Amino acid sequence: MRKTDFVFWTFLTMTGLAAATTVFNVTQTYSANSPNSELYRQLDLFGDVFERVRSDYVEKPDDTMLIESAINGMLAALDPHSSYMSPKNYRDMQVQTRGEFGGLGIEVTMENGIVKVVAPIDDTPASKAGVQANDLITHLDNEQISGLTLEQAVEKMRGPVNTPITLTIVRKGKDDPFDVKIVRDFIRINAVKARAEGDIAYLKVTTFNEQTHANLVKAMDALKKEIGPKLRGFIIDLRNNPGGLLDQAIAVSDDFLDRGAIVLTKGRNNEETQRAQARPGDTAEGKPVVVLINGGSASASEIVAGALKDHKRATIIGTRSFGKGSVQTIIPLGANGAIRLTTARYYTPSNRSIQAKGIDPDIVVEQELPEELKGKAPEKPRGEASLRGHLRGENEKPATAEPAKESEQPADGAESKEEPKEESGSSAYVPKEPEKDTQLQYALKFLRGEAVGETVAKPATQPSADAPASDESKSTVPN
């Protein structure tokens, strides 16, 4: 009897444990599958709406357009800089970032449905063929341009190297249109325009493509040779530069720094945090540097300005920058194009977030608008902080940030400085004539040590301690 009772109670206990384990596992499985179940319900909803649109819309819709619009809507809901790129848009983006393509070598615009030549680029097929500024292009290979968008016309003018195209041109002073046959060649977009302003080297960086760093070094070497021993310093003009490749911004910053952190990028997870480190060597050879910025300076431009400001290697002059402190990574989708996805935030060497705040200049110099533009400009210039759905800036410093040095700690009884509130952007007007460019003229006088007018000065931020190098080979594009 005792043995029978023992077996019975043992069986009962094991059955109870098995039942409890089963209930626990079922509960865990349900809990784990609940989020997926909700996701599948939402996908079913999308499928229902998609089918209803296809079957009931007043006109038969394009299925591809519907899908692309849905993808774009999903990405646009994240932030203003995430988006889907169709195969064509992806190819166009690659052309822009490479900085070279097969084409004619002319800058064009559209006026009254006609393509107008802004200027031919030196030493290109168009320049050698005699195309001139203000020429009007009416036909491409005997086909009218009227009815095409500017993008469509440009796409027709680009093409494989060594292939011909015939432009029909109307030129002021000539009675009849005439044809010009041009053979396409490699066109390299020079991202740096440079000139000597007396004893000052002036370099205008228009974008950060794959050629920017090489173009900048080449232009600096040429100006150092042209100006000679009387060279006083360099002006790096980043006004209205919308940004570009992250590795190029790092390389340009490194040209003026011997050591220290250049930029920190912090992603979703702490292990994704990376720092870029400057290497020994100053292309400017220790000469004073001024960086010009305004409300059109964004992304990669802000990385350069922030790095040189925090290390006190340059004086930043102008107005507050745009405030786009986020990294967009291009993720190819094979034959289906690519997505541009925001994957990280930028931080300056002193661990200040650029996002929705921008870079404040050391010396504020406002550019006065001409009379014809006064009253037409918006009261409050647009910046990242004013974009609908923009990524919020972070008030706290990154978790991996190094502790402040003792000299940077607030004194007893003093309050630590708060992070600036979200406010970015400023005027982006730059006059074409250098003599009317107030910010440029101020920078020239500043480098020459001449007396300048009254301005608003702001102290630069102390740089942080040196940081370990990051992997600069990652292909990211701040846009």
Side-chain angles (χ1 to χ4, degrees):
M1 285 294 293
R2 289 179 179 175
K3 185 175 181 180
T4 302
D5 288 344
F6 176 76
V7 171
F8 172 76
W9 287 109
T10 300
F11 173 76
L12 192 63
T13 301
M14 294 299 293
T15 302
L17 287 173
T21 302
T22 301
V23 171
F24 177 76
N25 288 337
V26 169
T27 304
Q28 290 293 97
T29 302
Y30 176 77
S31 176
N33 287 337
S34 291
N36 288 337
S37 299
E38 178 61 25
L39 174 61
Y40 293 141
R41 280 196 292 269
Q42 295 296 328
L43 289 175
D44 286 341
L45 171 62
F46 172 77
D48 292 343
V49 173
F50 180 70
E51 287 301 327
R52 183 57 62 92
V53 171
R54 293 183 71 218
S55 62
D56 294 351
Y57 187 63
V58 64
E59 295 177 353
K60 184 178 180 180
D62 183 306
D63 291 347
T64 301
M65 182 272 293
L66 290 177
I67 295 295
E68 287 187 3
S69 298
I71 295 172
N72 256 322
M74 174 177 63
L75 294 170
L78 299 174
D79 66 80
H81 308 296
S82 294
S83 62
Y84 168 73
M85 291 182 285
S86 66
K88 178 187 177 302
N89 291 337
Y90 182 37
R91 289 193 299 271
D92 291 343
M93 185 278 301
Q94 290 175 309
V95 167
Q96 293 175 4
T97 55
R98 280 198 307 268
E100 63 179 24
F101 53 89
L104 308 180
I106 48 176
E107 297 178 12
V108 294
T109 186
M110 182 76 82
E111 283 190 5
N112 300 321
I114 302 297
V115 173
K116 181 179 180 180
V117 177
V118 176
I121 302 172
D122 293 338
D123 297 322
T124 61
S127 174
K128 294 174 183 178
V131 177
Q132 299 178 9
N134 298 319
D135 280 350
L136 301 177
I137 303 174
T138 60
H139 294 71
L140 298 173
D141 283 335
N142 297 319
E143 292 185 9
Q144 280 194 351
I145 286 180
S146 180
L148 298 180
T149 65
L150 180 61
E151 290 75 18
Q152 290 170 332
V154 168
E155 186 176 2
K156 284 182 174 292
M157 285 187 278
R158 289 179 180 173
V161 173
N162 295 326
T163 58
I165 185 173
T166 300
L167 310 184
T168 302
I169 292 176
V170 174
R171 179 177 296 169
K172 187 176 181 180
K174 286 187 173 290
D175 295 334
D176 300 317
F178 59 94
D179 291 341
V180 176
K181 185 176 181 180
I182 306 176
V183 178
R184 298 180 179 92
D185 198 355
F186 277 119
I187 307 300
R188 290 173 176 83
I189 302 173
N190 192 344
V192 179
K193 299 177 181 179
R195 67 176 184 268
E197 289 281 352
D199 51 1
I200 306 294
Y202 171 83
L203 301 109
K204 169 73 173 174
V205 182
T206 58
T207 187
F208 286 88
N209 61 29
E210 291 180 6
Q211 317 295 325
T212 300
H213 173 245
N215 291 161
L216 181 68
V217 172
K218 182 179 178 181
M220 289 180 68
D221 289 343
L223 286 175
K224 284 189 289 187
K225 189 177 296 184
E226 177 184 347
I227 299 173
K230 64 180 182 178
L231 175 64
R232 285 180 177 268
F234 296 85
I235 295 176
I236 310 300
D237 191 349
L238 300 178
R239 292 174 299 176
N240 295 337
N241 182 321
L245 297 174
L246 172 61
D247 63 339
Q248 292 294 307
I250 292 171
V252 168
S253 301
D254 194 9
D255 286 336
F256 302 95
L257 297 173
D258 278 317
R259 63 185 182 86
I262 294 175
V263 66
L264 179 147
T265 58
K266 180 186 176 185
R268 182 173 178 176
N269 303 311
N270 286 335
E271 59 267 21
E272 296 174 355
T273 297
Q274 296 183 347
R275 285 180 183 268
Q277 180 83 0
R279 296 164 296 184
D282 180 359
T283 309
E285 299 174 352
K287 296 285 186 181
V289 177
V290 164
V291 175
L292 297 179
I293 61 172
N294 66 4
S297 306
S299 196
S301 302
E302 296 173 290
I303 290 176
V304 176
L308 300 188
K309 173 177 176 169
D310 281 8
H311 285 285
K312 293 189 173 180
R313 179 60 187 92
T315 301
I316 314 300
I317 294 176
T319 55
R320 186 174 54 247
S321 64
F322 187 84
K324 181 184 175 294
S326 60
V327 184
Q328 280 68 50
T329 300
I330 303 301
I331 304 174
L333 301 175
N336 297 315
I339 62 172
R340 184 196 309 267
L341 189 66
T342 300
T343 55
R345 288 181 173 89
Y346 293 131
Y347 293 83
T348 69
S350 60
N351 292 326
R352 290 184 298 107
S353 172
I354 300 171
Q355 178 61 21
K357 296 167 187 170
I359 300 294
D360 284 314
D362 297 307
I363 302 174
V364 175
V365 178
E366 298 280 356
Q367 178 66 53
E368 186 176 359
L369 292 174
E371 291 297 329
E372 60 269 19
L373 293 181
K374 288 182 180 179
K376 296 182 180 180
E379 294 182 4
K380 188 175 182 180
R382 289 175 60 81
E384 179 77 11
S386 65
L387 295 181
R388 183 185 298 274
H390 70 271
L391 187 68
R392 296 293 176 182
E394 289 187 355
N395 290 327
E396 71 276 9
K397 291 185 178 181
T400 56
E402 300 171 4
K405 297 179 181 178
E406 184 177 347
S407 60
E408 296 172 356
Q409 297 288 352
D412 293 341
E415 296 182 1
S416 61
K417 293 181 179 179
E418 294 183 357
E419 289 286 324
K421 65 179 181 179
E422 287 194 348
E423 185 178 12
S424 61
S426 62
S427 172
Y429 173 71
V430 178
K432 294 182 180 179
E433 302 85 354
E435 61 275 9
K436 296 181 181 179
D437 190 337
T438 305
Q439 294 163 338
L440 172 59
Q441 294 303 319
Y442 183 98
L444 292 171
K445 292 180 180 179
F446 178 85
L447 286 173
R448 291 169 181 151
E450 300 175 3
V452 290
E454 184 178 347
T455 58
V456 180
K458 297 181 180 180
T461 305
Q462 292 285 348
S464 65
D466 293 351
S470 70
D471 179 10
E472 296 181 15
S473 63
K474 183 177 180 181
S475 177
T476 53
V477 182
N479 202 8

